Amino acid sequence: MATTVIAVANQKGGVGKTTTAINLSACLARLGHRVLVVDLDPQGNATSGLGLEKAPGGSVYEALLGAAPLEERIRPTAFPNLEMIPSELDLCGAEVELARAEQNLSRLRTALDPLRGADRYPLIVVDCPPSLGLLTMNAFVAADAVLVPLQCEYYALEGISTLQRVLDQVRTHALNPYLRLLGILMTMYDGRTRLANQVVDEVRRYFGDLVFETMIPRTTRVAEAPSFGKPILEYDPYSSASAAYELLAQEVQGRLERIRQGLDPVAAPAPAANPSSSHAS
């Protein structure tokens, strides 16, 4: 089976991006897929969230500069079918180094090519930094699909139009013409509040079927899990968040199968709109 690369991205911080990358990967691994998580965020939260150390020289940094093969950076995790390329603080310098490098937007794709060719991992999940800098752009050029976590808050839609434009530019400038928006995931959902439901309704109105049916609830348990180096599936398998991520993994699996068949990831395209022009009130 060919490798599919998913970039988990949102330039806004605090939306559950890393939490989603960790827990979705763990649930996909539980479904039997061999998954590689690439922590592309210099903060390294996905690394610690899966119980690994941020060791100097252990990240994608040297591979992005063409100085070492990416395969040498792969580390096992404590969870079956789940491996990782951790982050490190030196990754902060990659933006500066990449700015001076040739083909600086396709370095990650080049580094991942040997892993794709070997079909070692059906799924590679890239946790992107909370920005649209060179590291995130490398993820977009390397990815087959982008998953966007969106927090159920008043300003949830701010920045989405910018992200859409960037994805369009990646496609139209031939950097990655096959890049798809896999879907938008509503996170930190509290169904007891009017605001959360208004935000979900507004996002669904703009993006239609691109919004996943599954929503990730706001719970303290999912926030606690990374401090123990475990995905929620292991930390509290009977929690509502664990059940939600398991459902999300099934949705993602279905959408990826459609992409592999050359189809749109969802049954119908999202309606054209500018989501930055309105907010829930």
Side-chain angles (χ1 to χ4, degrees):
M1 180 182 292
T3 300
T4 301
V5 179
I6 304 172
V8 182
N10 189 325
Q11 72 270 32
K12 189 176 184 297
V15 299
K17 174 183 59 61
T18 296
T19 299
T20 294
I22 291 171
N23 290 298
L24 173 61
S25 297
C27 289
L28 288 168
R30 175 69 66 88
L31 288 174
H33 304 285
R34 193 174 184 191
V35 182
L36 175 68
V37 178
V38 179
D39 191 350
L40 204 60
D41 187 347
Q43 297 177 87
N45 291 332
T47 298
S48 56
L50 284 174
L52 298 184
E53 297 290 331
K54 291 172 273 190
S59 73
V60 301
Y61 181 60
E62 291 186 357
L64 290 175
L65 301 181
L70 199 56
E71 187 170 8
E72 294 179 357
R73 303 295 184 261
I74 297 172
R75 298 289 180 268
T77 72
F79 314 106
N81 290 327
L82 189 59
E83 296 182 323
M84 175 172 232
I85 298 177
S87 180
E88 60 174 320
L89 288 177
D90 287 351
L91 198 54
C92 291
E95 294 271 356
V96 177
E97 296 285 349
L98 286 172
R100 299 194 294 257
E102 295 181 358
Q103 303 294 319
N104 60 1
L105 297 181
S106 59
R107 291 302 185 98
L108 182 61
R109 180 173 65 188
T110 300
L112 287 173
D113 275 347
L115 297 178
R116 280 181 177 271
D119 285 343
R120 179 172 173 179
Y121 302 98
L123 293 171
I124 297 176
V125 177
V126 182
D127 183 36
C128 298
S131 72
L132 291 175
L134 286 172
L135 288 174
T136 299
M137 290 298 294
N138 264 266
F140 290 166
V141 173
D144 300 288
V146 178
L147 188 153
V148 182
L150 206 62
Q151 191 175 0
C152 294
E153 288 193 350
Y154 182 79
Y155 293 109
L157 289 172
E158 272 198 357
I160 289 294
S161 57
T162 300
L163 181 57
Q164 283 185 301
R165 286 197 299 271
V166 170
L167 295 179
D168 287 340
Q169 289 170 359
V170 170
R171 286 188 288 259
T172 58
H173 292 174
L175 294 168
N176 184 358
Y178 303 106
L179 182 64
R180 308 286 191 98
L181 179 57
L182 183 64
I184 295 170
L185 173 67
M186 303 306 301
T187 63
M188 304 180 193
Y189 173 71
D190 185 348
R192 298 169 299 178
T193 68
R194 180 182 175 187
L195 175 61
N197 288 296
Q198 285 178 326
V199 170
V200 170
D201 289 344
E202 186 174 11
V203 173
R204 291 194 187 281
R205 185 164 65 250
Y206 283 123
F207 293 102
D209 289 340
L210 276 173
V211 183
F212 288 101
E213 288 295 325
T214 304
M215 295 185 288
I216 308 303
R218 180 186 293 275
T219 71
T220 57
R221 301 297 280 172
V222 76
E224 291 170 357
S227 64
F228 291 88
K230 295 180 179 181
I232 189 64
L233 196 65
E234 296 287 337
Y235 179 67
D236 189 353
Y238 301 108
S239 67
S240 59
S242 180
Y245 275 113
E246 288 187 277
L247 289 173
L248 174 66
Q250 294 173 22
E251 272 198 86
V252 166
Q253 186 175 245
R255 293 191 183 196
L256 291 176
E257 183 57 35
R258 289 183 61 82
I259 288 176
R260 292 186 181 117
Q261 293 173 4
L263 304 172
D264 287 332
V266 294
N274 180 6
S276 63
S277 63
S278 174
H279 296 291
S281 58

Coordinates of all heavy atoms in Angstrom, one line a residue, residues 164-225:
Q164 N -6.3 28.6 3.7 CA -6.9 28.2 2.4 C -6.1 28.7 1.3 O -5.8 28.1 0.3 CB -8.3 28.5 2.3 CG -9.3 27.7 3.1 CD -10.7 28.0 2.8 OE1 -11.1 29.2 3.1 NE2 -11.5 27.1 2.3
R165 N -5.7 30.0 1.4 CA -5.0 30.7 0.3 C -3.6 30.0 0.2 O -3.1 29.8 -1.0 CB -4.8 32.2 0.5 CG -6.1 33.0 0.3 CD -5.8 34.4 0.2 NE -5.2 35.0 1.4 CZ -5.9 35.5 2.4 NH1 -7.3 35.4 2.3 NH2 -5.3 36.0 3.4
V166 N -3.0 29.7 1.3 CA -1.7 29.1 1.2 C -1.7 27.7 0.6 O -0.9 27.4 -0.3 CB -1.1 29.0 2.6 CG1 0.2 28.1 2.6 CG2 -0.7 30.4 3.2
L167 N -2.7 26.9 0.9 CA -2.9 25.6 0.3 C -3.2 25.8 -1.2 O -2.6 25.0 -2.0 CB -4.1 24.9 1.0 CG -3.9 24.5 2.5 CD1 -5.1 23.8 3.0 CD2 -2.6 23.7 2.7
D168 N -4.0 26.7 -1.6 CA -4.2 27.0 -3.0 C -2.9 27.3 -3.7 O -2.7 26.9 -4.8 CB -5.2 28.1 -3.2 CG -6.7 27.7 -2.8 OD1 -6.9 26.4 -2.8 OD2 -7.5 28.5 -2.6
Q169 N -2.1 28.2 -3.1 CA -0.8 28.5 -3.7 C 0.1 27.4 -3.9 O 0.8 27.2 -4.9 CB -0.1 29.6 -2.8 CG -0.8 31.0 -2.9 CD -0.3 32.0 -1.9 OE1 0.6 31.6 -1.1 NE2 -0.8 33.2 -1.9
V170 N 0.1 26.5 -2.9 CA 1.0 25.3 -3.0 C 0.5 24.4 -4.1 O 1.3 23.9 -4.9 CB 0.9 24.4 -1.6 CG1 1.5 23.1 -1.8 CG2 1.6 25.2 -0.5
R171 N -0.8 24.3 -4.3 CA -1.3 23.6 -5.5 C -1.1 24.2 -6.8 O -0.6 23.6 -7.8 CB -2.8 23.3 -5.3 CG -3.1 22.3 -4.2 CD -4.6 21.9 -4.2 NE -5.4 23.0 -3.7 CZ -5.9 23.1 -2.5 NH1 -5.7 22.1 -1.6 NH2 -6.6 24.1 -2.1
T172 N -1.4 25.5 -6.9 CA -1.4 26.2 -8.2 C 0.0 26.5 -8.7 O 0.2 26.6 -9.9 CB -2.2 27.5 -8.2 OG1 -1.7 28.3 -7.1 CG2 -3.7 27.2 -7.9
H173 N 1.0 26.6 -7.8 CA 2.3 26.9 -8.2 C 3.1 25.7 -8.4 O 4.4 25.7 -8.5 CB 3.0 27.8 -7.1 CG 2.5 29.2 -7.0 ND1 2.8 30.1 -6.1 CD2 1.5 29.8 -7.8 CE1 2.2 31.2 -6.2 NE2 1.4 31.1 -7.2
A174 N 2.4 24.5 -8.5 CA 3.0 23.2 -8.9 C 4.0 22.7 -7.8 O 4.8 21.8 -8.1 CB 3.7 23.3 -10.3
L175 N 3.9 23.3 -6.6 CA 4.8 22.8 -5.5 C 4.2 21.4 -5.1 O 5.0 20.5 -4.8 CB 4.8 23.7 -4.4 CG 5.4 25.1 -4.6 CD1 5.1 26.0 -3.5 CD2 6.9 24.9 -4.8
N176 N 2.9 21.3 -5.1 CA 2.2 20.0 -4.7 C 0.8 20.1 -5.2 O -0.1 20.3 -4.5 CB 2.2 19.8 -3.2 CG 1.7 18.4 -2.8 OD1 1.2 17.7 -3.6 ND2 1.7 18.2 -1.5
P177 N 0.6 19.8 -6.5 CA -0.7 20.0 -7.2 C -1.7 19.0 -6.6 O -2.9 19.2 -6.9 CB -0.4 19.7 -8.6 CG 0.9 19.0 -8.7 CD 1.7 19.4 -7.5
Y178 N -1.3 17.9 -5.9 CA -2.2 16.9 -5.5 C -2.6 17.0 -4.0 O -3.3 16.2 -3.5 CB -1.6 15.5 -5.7 CG -1.2 15.3 -7.1 CD1 0.1 15.3 -7.5 CD2 -2.2 15.1 -8.1 CE1 0.5 15.1 -8.8 CE2 -1.9 14.9 -9.4 CZ -0.5 14.9 -9.8 OH -0.2 14.7 -11.1
L179 N -2.2 18.1 -3.4 CA -2.5 18.3 -2.0 C -4.0 18.5 -1.8 O -4.7 19.3 -2.5 CB -1.8 19.6 -1.5 CG -2.0 19.9 0.0 CD1 -1.4 18.9 0.9 CD2 -1.3 21.3 0.3
R180 N -4.6 17.8 -0.8 CA -6.0 17.8 -0.5 C -6.2 18.3 0.9 O -5.4 18.2 1.8 CB -6.6 16.4 -0.6 CG -6.4 15.7 -1.8 CD -7.2 16.2 -3.0 NE -7.1 15.3 -4.1 CZ -8.0 14.4 -4.4 NH1 -9.1 14.2 -3.6 NH2 -7.9 13.6 -5.5
L181 N -7.3 19.0 1.1 CA -7.8 19.3 2.5 C -8.6 18.1 3.0 O -9.7 17.8 2.5 CB -8.6 20.6 2.5 CG -9.2 21.0 3.9 CD1 -8.1 21.2 4.9 CD2 -10.0 22.3 3.8
L182 N -8.0 17.3 3.9 CA -8.6 16.1 4.4 C -9.9 16.4 5.2 O -10.9 15.7 5.1 CB -7.7 15.3 5.2 CG -8.1 14.0 5.8 CD1 -8.4 13.0 4.6 CD2 -7.1 13.4 6.7
G183 N -9.8 17.5 5.9 CA -11.0 17.9 6.7 C -10.7 18.8 7.8 O -9.5 19.1 8.1
I184 N -11.7 19.4 8.4 CA -11.6 20.3 9.5 C -12.2 19.6 10.8 O -13.3 19.1 10.7 CB -12.4 21.6 9.2 CG1 -11.7 22.3 8.1 CG2 -12.4 22.5 10.5 CD1 -12.4 23.5 7.5
L185 N -11.4 19.6 11.8 CA -11.9 18.9 13.1 C -12.2 20.0 14.1 O -11.3 20.8 14.5 CB -10.7 18.0 13.5 CG -10.9 17.4 14.9 CD1 -12.1 16.3 14.8 CD2 -9.6 16.7 15.4
M186 N -13.4 19.9 14.6 CA -13.8 20.8 15.7 C -13.2 20.2 17.1 O -13.5 19.1 17.4 CB -15.3 21.0 15.8 CG -15.9 21.5 14.5 SD -15.2 23.0 13.9 CE -15.5 24.1 15.3
T187 N -12.5 21.0 17.8 CA -11.9 20.5 19.0 C -12.4 21.4 20.2 O -12.9 22.5 20.1 CB -10.3 20.6 19.0 OG1 -9.9 22.0 18.8 CG2 -9.8 19.9 17.8
M188 N -12.1 20.8 21.4 CA -12.5 21.5 22.7 C -14.0 21.9 22.7 O -14.3 23.0 23.1 CB -11.6 22.7 22.9 CG -10.1 22.4 22.9 SD -9.1 23.8 23.1 CE -7.5 23.2 22.7
Y189 N -14.8 21.0 22.2 CA -16.2 21.2 22.1 C -16.9 21.0 23.4 O -16.7 19.9 24.1 CB -16.8 20.3 21.0 CG -18.3 20.3 20.9 CD1 -19.0 21.4 20.4 CD2 -19.1 19.2 21.4 CE1 -20.3 21.5 20.3 CE2 -20.5 19.3 21.3 CZ -21.1 20.4 20.8 OH -22.4 20.4 20.7
D190 N -17.7 21.9 23.9 CA -18.5 21.8 25.1 C -20.0 22.0 24.6 O -20.4 23.2 24.5 CB -18.1 22.8 26.1 CG -18.9 22.6 27.4 OD1 -19.9 21.9 27.5 OD2 -18.4 23.2 28.4
G191 N -20.7 20.9 24.5 CA -22.1 21.0 24.0 C -23.0 21.7 24.9 O -24.2 22.0 24.5
R192 N -22.6 22.0 26.1 CA -23.5 22.7 27.1 C -23.5 24.2 26.8 O -24.4 24.9 27.4 CB -23.0 22.5 28.5 CG -23.0 21.0 28.9 CD -22.3 20.8 30.2 NE -20.9 21.2 30.1 CZ -20.0 21.2 31.1 NH1 -20.4 20.8 32.3 NH2 -18.8 21.6 31.0
T193 N -22.6 24.7 26.0 CA -22.6 26.2 25.8 C -23.2 26.5 24.5 O -23.0 25.8 23.5 CB -21.1 26.7 25.8 OG1 -20.4 26.2 24.7 CG2 -20.4 26.3 27.1
R194 N -23.9 27.6 24.5 CA -24.5 28.1 23.2 C -23.4 28.5 22.2 O -23.6 28.3 21.0 CB -25.4 29.3 23.6 CG -26.1 30.0 22.4 CD -26.9 31.2 22.8 NE -27.5 31.9 21.7 CZ -28.1 33.0 21.7 NH1 -28.2 33.6 22.9 NH2 -28.6 33.6 20.7
L195 N -22.3 29.1 22.7 CA -21.3 29.6 21.8 C -20.7 28.5 21.0 O -20.5 28.6 19.8 CB -20.2 30.3 22.6 CG -19.0 30.8 21.8 CD1 -19.4 31.7 20.7 CD2 -17.9 31.4 22.7
A196 N -20.4 27.3 21.7 CA -19.7 26.2 21.0 C -20.6 25.7 19.9 O -20.2 25.4 18.8 CB -19.5 25.1 22.0
N197 N -21.9 25.6 20.1 CA -22.8 25.1 19.1 C -23.0 26.1 18.0 O -23.1 25.8 16.8 CB -24.2 24.8 19.7 CG -24.2 23.6 20.6 OD1 -23.9 22.5 20.1 ND2 -24.4 23.7 21.9
Q198 N -22.9 27.4 18.3 CA -23.0 28.5 17.2 C -21.8 28.4 16.3 O -21.9 28.5 15.1 CB -23.1 29.8 17.9 CG -24.5 30.2 18.4 CD -24.5 31.5 19.1 OE1 -23.5 32.0 19.6 NE2 -25.6 32.2 19.0
V199 N -20.6 28.2 16.9 CA -19.4 28.1 16.2 C -19.4 26.9 15.2 O -19.1 27.0 14.1 CB -18.1 28.0 17.1 CG1 -16.9 27.7 16.3 CG2 -18.0 29.4 17.8
V200 N -19.8 25.7 15.8 CA -19.9 24.5 15.0 C -20.9 24.7 13.8 O -20.6 24.4 12.7 CB -20.4 23.3 15.8 CG1 -20.7 22.1 14.9 CG2 -19.3 23.0 16.8
D201 N -22.0 25.3 14.1 CA -23.0 25.6 13.0 C -22.4 26.5 11.9 O -22.6 26.3 10.7 CB -24.3 26.2 13.6 CG -25.1 25.3 14.4 OD1 -24.9 24.0 14.3 OD2 -26.0 25.7 15.1
E202 N -21.7 27.5 12.3 CA -21.1 28.4 11.4 C -20.0 27.8 10.5 O -20.0 27.9 9.3 CB -20.5 29.6 12.1 CG -20.0 30.7 11.2 CD -19.6 32.0 11.9 OE1 -19.4 31.9 13.1 OE2 -19.4 33.0 11.2
V203 N -19.2 27.0 11.2 CA -18.1 26.3 10.4 C -18.7 25.3 9.4 O -18.3 25.2 8.3 CB -17.2 25.6 11.4 CG1 -16.2 24.7 10.7 CG2 -16.4 26.6 12.3
R204 N -19.7 24.6 9.9 CA -20.4 23.6 8.9 C -21.1 24.4 7.8 O -21.1 23.9 6.7 CB -21.4 22.8 9.7 CG -20.8 21.8 10.7 CD -21.8 20.7 11.1 NE -21.2 19.9 12.2 CZ -20.4 18.9 12.0 NH1 -20.0 18.6 10.7 NH2 -19.9 18.2 13.0
R205 N -21.6 25.6 8.1 CA -22.2 26.3 7.0 C -21.2 26.7 5.9 O -21.5 26.7 4.7 CB -22.9 27.6 7.6 CG -23.7 28.4 6.6 CD -24.7 29.4 7.2 NE -24.0 30.4 8.0 CZ -24.0 30.5 9.3 NH1 -24.6 29.6 10.0 NH2 -23.3 31.5 9.9
Y206 N -20.0 27.1 6.3 CA -19.0 27.5 5.4 C -18.3 26.3 4.7 O -18.0 26.4 3.5 CB -17.9 28.3 6.1 CG -18.4 29.8 6.4 CD1 -18.3 30.3 7.7 CD2 -18.8 30.6 5.3 CE1 -18.7 31.6 7.9 CE2 -19.2 31.9 5.6 CZ -19.2 32.4 6.9 OH -19.5 33.7 7.2
F207 N -18.0 25.3 5.4 CA -17.2 24.2 4.9 C -17.9 22.9 4.6 O -17.3 22.0 4.1 CB -16.0 23.9 5.9 CG -15.1 25.1 6.0 CD1 -15.2 25.9 7.1 CD2 -14.2 25.3 5.0 CE1 -14.3 27.0 7.2 CE2 -13.3 26.4 5.1 CZ -13.3 27.2 6.2
G208 N -19.2 22.8 5.0 CA -20.0 21.7 4.6 C -19.4 20.3 5.0 O -19.0 20.2 6.2
D209 N -19.4 19.4 4.1 CA -18.9 18.0 4.4 C -17.4 17.9 4.8 O -17.0 16.9 5.2 CB -19.3 17.1 3.3 CG -20.7 16.8 3.1 OD1 -21.5 17.1 4.1 OD2 -21.2 16.4 2.1
L210 N -16.7 19.0 4.5 CA -15.3 19.0 4.9 C -15.1 18.9 6.4 O -14.0 18.5 6.9 CB -14.5 20.2 4.3 CG -14.0 20.0 2.9 CD1 -13.5 21.4 2.4 CD2 -13.0 18.9 2.8
V211 N -16.1 19.3 7.2 CA -16.0 19.3 8.6 C -16.3 17.8 9.1 O -17.3 17.2 8.7 CB -17.0 20.2 9.3 CG1 -16.9 20.2 10.8 CG2 -16.8 21.6 8.7
F212 N -15.4 17.3 9.9 CA -15.6 15.9 10.3 C -16.9 15.8 11.2 O -17.2 16.8 12.0 CB -14.4 15.4 11.2 CG -13.2 15.1 10.4 CD1 -12.2 16.0 10.3 CD2 -13.1 13.9 9.7 CE1 -11.0 15.8 9.6 CE2 -12.0 13.7 8.9 CZ -10.9 14.6 8.9
E213 N -17.6 14.7 11.1 CA -18.8 14.5 12.0 C -18.3 14.4 13.4 O -19.0 14.9 14.3 CB -19.5 13.2 11.6 CG -20.3 13.3 10.3 CD -21.4 14.3 10.4 OE1 -22.0 14.4 11.5 OE2 -21.7 15.0 9.4
T214 N -17.2 13.8 13.7 CA -16.7 13.7 15.0 C -16.2 15.0 15.5 O -15.5 15.8 14.8 CB -15.5 12.7 15.1 OG1 -15.9 11.4 14.5 CG2 -15.0 12.5 16.5
M215 N -16.5 15.3 16.8 CA -16.0 16.5 17.5 C -15.3 16.1 18.7 O -15.7 15.2 19.4 CB -17.1 17.5 17.8 CG -17.8 18.1 16.5 SD -19.0 19.4 16.9 CE -20.3 18.4 17.6
I216 N -14.2 16.7 19.0 CA -13.4 16.3 20.2 C -13.8 17.2 21.4 O -13.8 18.4 21.4 CB -11.9 16.6 20.0 CG1 -11.4 15.9 18.7 CG2 -11.1 16.1 21.2 CD1 -11.7 14.4 18.6
P217 N -14.3 16.5 22.5 CA -14.9 17.2 23.6 C -13.7 17.9 24.4 O -12.6 17.5 24.5 CB -15.6 16.1 24.4 CG -14.8 14.9 24.1 CD -14.4 15.0 22.6
R218 N -14.1 19.0 25.1 CA -13.2 19.6 26.1 C -13.2 18.8 27.4 O -14.2 18.7 28.1 CB -13.7 21.0 26.4 CG -12.8 21.8 27.3 CD -13.3 23.2 27.7 NE -13.4 24.0 26.5 CZ -12.3 24.8 26.1 NH1 -11.2 24.8 26.8 NH2 -12.4 25.6 25.1
T219 N -12.1 18.2 27.7 CA -12.0 17.4 28.9 C -10.6 17.6 29.5 O -9.6 17.8 28.8 CB -12.2 15.9 28.7 OG1 -11.0 15.4 28.0 CG2 -13.4 15.6 27.9
T220 N -10.5 17.5 30.8 CA -9.2 17.6 31.5 C -8.4 16.4 31.2 O -7.1 16.5 31.2 CB -9.4 17.8 33.0 OG1 -10.2 16.7 33.5 CG2 -10.1 19.1 33.3
R221 N -9.0 15.3 31.0 CA -8.2 14.0 30.8 C -7.4 14.1 29.6 O -6.2 13.6 29.6 CB -9.2 12.8 30.8 CG -10.1 12.7 32.0 CD -9.3 12.4 33.2 NE -8.9 11.0 33.3 CZ -8.0 10.5 34.2 NH1 -7.5 11.3 35.1 NH2 -7.7 9.2 34.3
V222 N -7.9 14.6 28.5 CA -7.1 14.7 27.3 C -6.0 15.7 27.4 O -4.9 15.6 26.8 CB -8.0 15.0 26.1 CG1 -8.4 16.5 26.0 CG2 -7.3 14.6 24.8
A223 N -6.2 16.7 28.3 CA -5.1 17.7 28.5 C -4.0 17.1 29.5 O -2.8 17.5 29.4 CB -5.7 18.9 29.2
E224 N -4.4 16.2 30.3 CA -3.5 15.6 31.3 C -2.6 14.5 30.6 O -1.4 14.4 31.0 CB -4.2 14.9 32.4 CG -4.9 15.8 33.4 CD -5.9 15.0 34.3 OE1 -6.0 13.8 34.2 OE2 -6.5 15.7 35.2
A225 N -3.1 13.8 29.6 CA -2.4 12.7 29.1 C -1.0 12.9 28.6 O -0.1 12.2 28.9 CB -3.2 12.1 27.9

